[in-house]
């Protein structure tokens, strides 16, 4: 069915909406390739979608060399290939870093470097761009060109065409089942807000989240965040972007109260408290951590504190009605993301923390879900803090304020597209007010 | 009979202390306590099981079974903390076939990942109110909810982790060696 997906010296982009079957297609293509080319090792290799569960070694260097060592490749050759792969993906300085300590983007780079070191004949990469920042994407583009020049077959899945690889002469496109995506119904957002379990606070209110000279980090390690000043007004959406490993996820966990406060002050809804954030929903980067093994409808019902009928509207408003009876764990990555967002909203939180929550959503689903979230924020006074490594135009339009985090140490305001609501602004040390 | 003492209830605690001390001295006290924490789940299971089967609790037997379990499980963490997966692959090169070595690497690798995921699942349960933020606030209703909100996701996660890691190695062609 799929041998044409992988052609030597050519790049094939498998594109399609969330849940179209891109991952299944890539896995089948890998099997087909291996059946057709039984000799030689490793032959064809595949990068899975979730980097967090694919790492097997302790350090970055060991991870890149792991398969080569297992295959008993001569030591000098292992060293040569490992050093080259680390350099290609910008990992040379992190060679001895523990893989557990890496951010999702750096984990993805580590796995890409591990595949690069194998010098395979065919590479199948499932959504490799989704986790990478601009530098990582540029390095992957260069690596793809290198693989193509060596005569490799490269197959990449993505929900949209990355601009850079679309320019390659050996580029082919394979669209899959465009009719099977999520179908959010933002028109139902008003009805959904009527079932909201919490009274909306008056708008505009005091800061929902306030950090002053704030420093935090993981237990037993140095502070990842230093000298952060941040104020999120109630009923606003703040977007924090930054390169892979800049401390975005750590910032969210610190706001949620999961990390010990090193110094400074953290205030939530006017209360200074070192404990967990009250009435807060956190959406983690890996949606499977939220799932409890139920059906889609069951997951939402279990999380829901909405009034009568709210859970059913929630299903429709996030475009999940078509999958309501399916086991949640069998959904695609993007569908799981939409489900986890729906579950978070079904808890009627006052503060919503989103960690790369839009990864894997195709453009149409993303537009519908962002529109729904914006309407909910406007109607209920919900405060949203979202972090992303890739602030695309649609996500920028969604936010009231955009901050850039660099090296966990500074937060700088970034101008938003014209026409955003004035007054809704987050401010950080050394940053200008975004609305001015 | 060890050191002239026949009763396991006497020498097992001594052996456990010795192992714990050795572990703490090499890996550090913090990691030792962190690794031991997830293993403590066996205690309530053991007590409830004994109550159901024997309608009484034999504390001597509980201590013996518990220490045997800890003594069997703890070295896995120790081995993981002190040995990298690549070193393990090389270490058993002449003793075990490749597939068995991979299984060993998997066994060691899954534990810390599962522990990290358990912390995330607990965080989500705490934020949603399904589990209290402080241990002293645990009430019976929390224990009733725990299987659905903590244990079930954790079990699902354990299966998914093993599956994903196996796929990851397959995807690098290691199943073809």
């Amino acid at each position: 069915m799929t041998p044409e997906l992988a052609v030597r010296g050519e790049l094939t982009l498998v594109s399609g909406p969330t849940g179209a079957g891109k991952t299944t297609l890539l896995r089948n293509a890998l099997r087909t390739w291996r059946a057709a080319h039984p000799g030689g090792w490793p032959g064809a290799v595949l990068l899975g979608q979730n980097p967090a569960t694919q790492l097997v070694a302790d350090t970055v260097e060991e991870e890149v060399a792991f398969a080569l060592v297992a295959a008993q490749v001569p030591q000098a050759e292992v060293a040569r290939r490992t050093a080259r792969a680390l350099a290609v993906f910008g990992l040379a300085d992190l060679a001895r870093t523990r893989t557990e300590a890496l951010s999702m983007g750096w984990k993805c780079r580590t796995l890409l470097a591990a595949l690069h070191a194998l010098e395979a004949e065919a590479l199948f990469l499932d959504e490799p761009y989704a986790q990478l920042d601009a530098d990582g994407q540029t390095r992957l583009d260069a690596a793809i060109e290198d693989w193509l020049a060596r005569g490799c077959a490269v197959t990449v899945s993505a929900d949209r065409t990355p601009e850079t690889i679309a320019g390659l002469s050996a580029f082919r496109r394979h669209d899959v089942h465009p009719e099977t995506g999520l179908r959010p119904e933002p028109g139902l957002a008003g009805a959904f807000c009527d079932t909201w379990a919490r009274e909306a606070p008056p708008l505009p209110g005091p800061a929902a989240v306030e950090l002053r000279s704030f420093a935090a980090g993981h237990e037993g390690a140095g502070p990842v965040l230093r000298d952060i000043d941040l104020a999120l007004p109630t009923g606003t959406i703040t977007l924090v972007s930054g390169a892979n490993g800049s401390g975005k996820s750590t910032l969210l966990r610190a706001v949620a109260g999961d990390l010990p406060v090193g110094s400074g002050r953290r205030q939530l809804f006017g209360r200074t408290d070192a404990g967990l954030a009250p009435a807060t929903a956190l959406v983690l980067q890996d949606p499977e951590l939220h799932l409890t093994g139920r059906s889609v409808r069951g997951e939402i019902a279990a999380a829901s504190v909405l009034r009568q009928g709210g859970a059913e509207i929630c299903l429709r408003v996030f475009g999940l009605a078509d999958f309501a009876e399916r086991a949640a764990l069998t959904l695609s990555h993007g569908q799981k993301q939409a489900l986890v967002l729906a579950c978070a909203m079904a808890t009627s939180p006052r503060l919503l923390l989103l960690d790369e929550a839009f990864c894997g959503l195709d453009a149409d689903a993303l537009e519908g879900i962002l529109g729904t979230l914006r309407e909910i924020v406007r109607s209920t006074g919900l405060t949203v803090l979202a972090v992303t490594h890739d602030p695309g135009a649609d996500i920028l339009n969604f936010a009231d304020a955009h901050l850039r985090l660099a090296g966990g140490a500074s937060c700088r305001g970034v101008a938003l597209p014209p026409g955003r609501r004035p007054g809704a602004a987050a401010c950080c040390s050394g940053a200008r007010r975004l609305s001015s | 009979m060890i050191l002239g003492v026949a009763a396991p209830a006497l020498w097992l605690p001594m052996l456990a202390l010795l192992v714990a001390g050795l572990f703490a001295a090499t890996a550090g006290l913090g990691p030792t306590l962190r690794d031991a924490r997830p293993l403590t789940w066996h205690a309530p299971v053991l007590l409830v099981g004994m109550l159901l089967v024997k309608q009484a609790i034999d504390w001597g037997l509980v201590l013996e079974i518990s220490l045997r379990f800890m003594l069997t499980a703890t070295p896995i963490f120790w081995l993981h903390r002190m040995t990298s997966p690549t070193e393990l692959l090389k270490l058993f090169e002449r003793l075990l076939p490749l597939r068995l070595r991979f299984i060993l690497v998997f066994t060691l690798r899954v534990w810390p990942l599962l522990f990290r995921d358990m912390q995330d699942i607990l965080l989500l349960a705490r934020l949603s109110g399904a589990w209290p933020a402080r241990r002293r606030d645990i009430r019976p209703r929390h224990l009733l909810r725990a299987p659905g909100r903590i244990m079930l996701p954790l079990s699902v996660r354990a299966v998914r982790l093993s599956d994903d890691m196996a796929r990851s190695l397959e995807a690098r062609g290691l199943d073809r060696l």
Side-chain angles (χ1 to χ4, degrees), chain A residues 41 53-54 63 253 286 288, chain B residues 157 160 164 168 172-173:
Chain A
W41 181 84
T53 54
Q54 295 175 67
E63 184 68 42
R253 283 175 183 269
D286 184 351
E288 286 196 353
Chain B
R157 191 65 183 169
R160 301 290 287 192
D164 275 10
S168 166
R172 296 186 218 179

Side-chain angles (χ1 to χ4, degrees), chain A residues 39-319:
Chain A
W41 181 84
V45 293
L46 179 135
L47 172 78
Q49 210 168 356
N50 185 357
T53 54
Q54 295 175 67
L55 297 163
V56 283
D58 275 355
T59 65
V60 170
E61 193 173 34
E62 283 180 7
E63 184 68 42
V64 175
F66 184 81
L68 298 171
V69 173
Q72 297 182 326
V73 172
Q75 207 170 348
E77 180 67 4
V78 172
R80 184 190 70 78
R81 290 202 207 175
T82 305
R84 186 159 179 268
L86 290 172
V88 166
F89 287 96
L91 290 157
D93 293 341
L94 295 173
R96 298 199 187 278
T97 306
R98 290 182 71 83
T99 50
E100 288 168 12
L102 296 174
S103 72
M104 203 66 110
W106 286 104
K107 281 179 181 164
C108 185
R109 286 198 202 199
T110 304
L111 284 165
L112 283 166
L115 298 189
H116 186 82
L118 292 177
E119 297 184 358
E121 294 165 47
L123 293 109
F124 298 89
L125 311 177
D126 195 2
E127 303 267 6
Y129 288 93
Q131 308 282 358
L132 297 176
D133 59 13
D135 177 60
Q137 292 182 4
T138 309
R139 287 177 184 275
L140 177 56
D141 290 339
I144 287 176
E145 288 194 45
D146 180 39
W147 294 330
L148 293 176
R150 283 198 283 118
C152 297
V154 184
T155 308
V156 172
S157 78
D159 54 39
R160 61 197 127 183
T161 310
E163 285 169 22
T164 43
I165 59 173
L168 294 173
S169 56
F171 173 76
R172 301 182 314 132
R173 194 186 166 100
H174 183 96
D175 290 318
V176 283
H177 312 301
E179 75 283 2
T180 56
L182 289 162
R183 292 190 190 84
E185 297 178 49
L188 288 174
F192 176 72
C193 292
D194 291 341
T195 68
W196 198 254
R198 214 175 294 277
E199 290 298 320
L203 283 173
V209 178
E210 205 173 339
L211 305 178
R212 290 281 166 245
S213 307
F214 184 78
H218 297 274
E219 219 171 317
V224 178
L225 302 170
R226 294 183 302 278
D227 209 18
I228 298 285
D229 286 297
L230 176 73
L232 310 183
T234 304
T236 60
I237 301 167
T238 304
L239 181 71
V240 175
S241 67
N244 293 144
S246 60
K248 303 184 294 294
S249 300
T250 310
L251 176 66
L252 280 193
R253 283 175 183 269
V255 170
D258 185 39
L259 298 178
V261 177
S263 62
R265 193 183 61 172
R266 182 185 69 128
Q267 207 167 40
L268 296 171
F269 305 109
R271 285 178 53 198
T272 305
D273 188 352
L276 282 182
T280 297
L282 170 66
V283 174
L284 295 173
Q285 225 165 342
D286 184 351
E288 286 196 353
L289 285 169
H290 294 259
L291 303 180
T292 57
R294 297 176 169 91
S295 67
V296 171
R297 177 174 274 122
E299 292 283 353
I300 293 179
S304 174
V305 297
L306 298 168
R307 293 187 192 130
Q308 192 69 29
E312 282 303 310
I313 302 175
C314 188
L315 260 177
R316 290 178 60 193
V317 85
F318 283 92

Side-chain angles (χ1 to χ4, degrees), chain B residues 79 83-96 101 104:
Chain B
L79 194 60
T83 321
S84 82
T86 318
E87 283 168 354
L88 262 182
L89 274 185
K90 287 183 189 164
L91 191 68
F92 292 101
E93 203 169 292
R94 287 162 193 244
L95 290 175
L96 298 172
R101 278 185 279 150
L104 190 63

